Amino acid sequence: MKTNVLRWLTGFLFALPVSLLANSATHPAMIGQGPGSVAMQLHYPAKEKAAKSQGVVKFYCEVSPDGKASHITSYYGRKDGRFGTAVEFALRHGLVTPAAVDGRPTSVMLGGTVLFLISEGHPTIALTLATAETDKIAGMSNYVQPQMIDTDALFRRKIYSHRDKYHQQYGAHPAVVVQAHVDANGKLTSKKIVSEAPPNGGRGRLMMDVLDEEHFIPAQNNGQPVAGDFEIAVDFEHMRDPDSGPDVGTLLKKNGY
């Protein structure tokens, strides 16, 4: 059974009990423990379980005020396709405890990492809401990285509003990974381009401008706000203009943000 597969590792999943989250006016989105949660939807793929194969899946998504994940992007190795499918299934069918700002549920964009491990001969799934700081992921620490207060649609609108400022080179699979350092008050203090394809193709500088317009919920370590790194991967190859076509994303207003 699924519950037999999940051997919860200390500190890897929940940075705050839900009861404490309810008393905090501003807090990040979290993975809860209820039967309808993303955690309870995760499973170790049968073939990989039998073969004692391990895998890592990194994901990014939007979480709405009602706790539903959307605009999901996942990254994994060539042989880890079934692990990726398992993560995407859980995100699409499970719920997340939504983020709140000043006591009001709000949409955020976040990242996470799911580790499929064989520990002492047993299949184990570890989920952490961190992508940028590998020491936090590897240490299974009680940590949640900063989350961006935005929707995917509005984020894309900001990208499109800046896209003509820089010449963008053509290339296969254009994409950018950017990272923002956010202090314990949620203020952006620095930013950098982690990777860009094609290199120096103009999209990295574009994303630096977009980050200046964003606001964040700070990272939390053991339930306390701390400085941390927010990371997001932006796929320009498949990006759609949020103001054209029938599928424009979520919470998009035609007049202003």
Side-chain angles (χ1 to χ4, degrees):
M1 293 177 62
K2 188 181 303 178
T3 53
N4 293 330
V5 174
L6 299 175
R7 297 172 60 229
W8 303 119
L9 303 180
T10 302
F12 84 88
L13 186 56
F14 311 112
L16 271 180
V18 174
S19 60
L20 293 181
L21 287 174
N23 296 323
S24 177
T26 297
H27 61 75
M30 299 294 300
I31 305 296
Q33 304 178 50
S37 71
V38 167
M40 291 299 110
Q41 295 293 329
L42 276 170
H43 68 279
Y44 212 109
K47 289 186 177 180
E48 282 69 16
K49 178 181 175 181
K52 298 189 180 301
S53 298
Q54 302 185 117
V56 178
V57 178
K58 184 180 288 188
F59 67 87
Y60 304 91
C61 66
E62 172 192 328
V63 173
S64 68
D66 58 4
K68 295 181 180 179
S70 61
H71 302 287
I72 299 163
T73 302
S74 60
Y75 295 89
Y76 44 84
R78 290 183 178 181
K79 297 181 180 180
D80 291 345
R82 280 185 285 268
F83 290 128
T85 298
V87 171
E88 291 186 7
F89 177 91
L91 289 169
R92 295 187 189 283
H93 292 83
L95 292 175
V96 179
T97 302
V101 174
D102 296 331
R104 298 182 61 181
T106 188
S107 294
V108 292
M109 297 178 68
L110 56 78
T113 304
V114 182
L115 307 175
F116 294 86
L117 307 171
I118 302 298
S119 177
E120 299 179 357
H122 299 282
T124 301
I125 301 175
L127 190 161
T128 178
L129 290 180
T131 60
E133 298 170 85
T134 55
D135 59 326
K136 301 290 198 307
I137 299 169
M140 306 291 179
S141 59
N142 196 9
Y143 174 80
V144 178
Q145 73 180 21
Q147 296 175 359
M148 191 164 71
I149 305 169
D150 210 344
T151 70
D152 182 88
L154 298 182
F155 180 61
R156 283 182 284 129
R157 176 181 276 176
K158 293 170 189 175
I159 292 173
Y160 270 77
S161 72
H162 288 282
R163 65 176 182 168
D164 294 330
K165 291 174 61 176
Y166 304 105
H167 173 71
Q168 297 178 29
Q169 297 180 15
Y170 291 101
H173 314 302
V176 177
V177 178
V178 293
Q179 193 175 106
H181 188 70
V182 179
D183 68 16
N185 295 312
K187 181 181 178 181
L188 174 69
T189 59
S190 63
K191 56 193 176 179
K192 66 178 181 179
I193 302 167
V194 177
S195 62
E196 182 179 6
N200 301 314
R203 296 174 183 84
R205 289 181 295 170
L206 184 160
M207 289 308 307
M208 293 293 96
D209 290 348
V210 172
L211 284 178
D212 285 335
E213 297 183 12
E214 297 296 347
H215 298 87
F216 300 87
I217 295 175
Q220 290 199 355
N221 189 50
N222 292 320
Q224 298 300 314
V226 295
D229 292 329
F230 169 83
E231 179 186 79
I232 189 166
V234 184
D235 178 4
F236 282 87
E237 181 179 10
H238 300 103
M239 184 179 296
R240 296 183 59 182
D241 184 342
D243 290 319
S244 66
D247 180 16
V248 296
T250 57
L251 302 179
L252 185 66
K253 298 178 181 179
K254 283 289 184 180
N255 298 315
Y257 295 141

